[in-house]
Amino acid sequence: AQSVTQLDSQVPVFEEAPVELRCNYSSSVSVYLFWYVQYPNQGLQLLLKYLSGSTLVKGINGFEAEFNKSQTSFHLRKPSVHISDTAEYFCAVRNAGGTSYGKLTFGQGTILTVHP
Amino acid sequence: EAGVTQFPSHSVIEKGQTVTLRCDPISGHDNLYWYRRVMGKEIKFLLHFVKESKQDESGMPNNRFLAERTGGTYSTLKVQPAELEDSGVYFCASSQERMGVAKNIQYFGAGTRLSVL
């Protein structure tokens, strides 16, 4: 069984400050890792993904994440946030194969609020 | 190109009634997924279609939930009879991946917010 833990349910931050949203996962098999964002009244949008290769992945809107296999973490970072980054962020994992390859397992979500 | 579309956006029903949610995937996407988020909890997988076949329905909570995808295009998720604990947001996603290749991305709809009173 897989599980994903997002360590902070809410993260308040001031505009132009850096931010890190933390994600840890547990799995007995190889996984792919994702960060999705949900803006109000919209669907989930993919920010970035780790499939293989370089452990530092860059996504849209200036976000990046680093895969750390030994610590089973995939923390999301942005060096300088904007008001428009206010949203809920979800970390997710998928099996790299097997019959349940399509299933995404999500964390509980982190609400990022950027204050002026 | 149109994204994943879900109907209705909101539905309010009474306990014991039936509700049908619809999802139109991105054109050409063979894979369609249903997820649910109950208030205060994480988004949970319900099932996965490959064309019209159910690839994985391990997340379906009970037999009050029936998902169909006739013709391999749009999908419906029927809840009959609805219970209070069925309230939440139901998301649909689609992807273009080939069977057994898990790399492709799932694109999500905006969700249907279901309230059972």
Side-chain angles (χ1 to χ4, degrees):
Chain A
Q2 294 174 332
S3 67
V4 178
T5 302
Q6 291 182 239
L7 296 157
D8 305 292
S9 59
Q10 297 191 52
V11 174
V13 65
F14 287 107
E15 194 173 18
E16 298 183 7
V19 70
E20 178 180 80
L21 306 184
R22 297 178 293 167
C23 173
N24 287 94
Y25 71 94
S26 172
S27 178
S28 57
V29 298
S30 295
V31 296
Y32 300 131
L33 297 129
F34 305 84
W35 275 98
Y36 281 87
V37 59
Q38 185 181 24
Y39 299 104
N41 301 314
Q42 296 186 27
L44 279 72
Q45 179 182 356
L46 182 71
L47 269 180
L48 48 79
K49 62 185 184 291
Y50 173 79
L51 303 179
S52 64
S54 173
T55 57
L56 181 64
V57 293
K58 295 187 183 298
I60 62 171
N61 301 338
F63 284 93
E64 63 180 33
E66 185 154 21
F67 170 53
N68 188 318
K69 189 173 182 179
S70 62
Q71 297 186 5
T72 60
S73 67
F74 191 53
H75 300 332
L76 180 71
R77 302 185 183 97
K78 186 170 182 178
S80 175
V81 295
H82 303 287
I83 298 286
S84 59
D85 292 323
T86 295
E88 189 163 17
Y89 293 77
F90 297 93
C91 181
V93 302
R94 287 175 67 180
N95 283 354
T99 56
S100 294
Y101 68 89
K103 173 184 175 181
L104 277 166
T105 299
F106 284 90
Q108 299 90 331
T110 298
I111 297 173
L112 174 66
T113 304
V114 181
H115 298 284
Chain B
E1 177 182 286
V4 177
T5 309
Q6 294 187 244
F7 304 97
S9 57
H10 293 85
S11 180
V12 181
I13 61 172
E14 293 188 354
K15 176 182 172 182
Q17 289 185 323
T18 298
V19 63
T20 300
L21 314 181
R22 173 170 168 149
C23 170
D24 286 73
I26 293 172
S27 177
H29 281 192
D30 287 340
N31 294 266
L32 187 148
Y33 311 84
W34 285 98
Y35 294 85
R36 175 174 74 170
R37 189 182 195 191
V38 172
M39 186 176 293
K41 301 287 184 71
E42 68 271 25
I43 300 169
K44 284 196 170 179
F45 169 84
L46 295 179
L47 88 160
H48 170 199
F49 283 101
V50 178
K51 296 185 180 179
E52 66 276 9
S53 299
K54 293 175 183 175
Q55 167 70 20
D56 181 358
E57 52 184 331
S58 61
M60 294 290 266
N62 52 61
N63 59 10
R64 294 186 294 102
F65 289 76
L66 175 64
E68 295 180 321
R69 193 183 182 197
T70 306
T73 54
Y74 70 91
S75 174
T76 58
L77 180 64
K78 180 188 288 188
V79 185
Q80 180 181 30
E83 298 289 345
L84 299 179
E85 63 265 25
D86 300 332
S87 295
V89 181
Y90 290 76
F91 292 102
C92 176
S94 71
S95 71
Q96 202 173 22
E97 65 208 316
R98 302 190 308 276
M99 189 179 298
V101 178
K103 293 188 176 184
N104 288 2
I105 303 308
Q106 294 182 25
Y107 296 87
F108 282 77
T112 293
R113 183 173 297 277
L114 175 64
S115 297
V116 183
L117 306 179

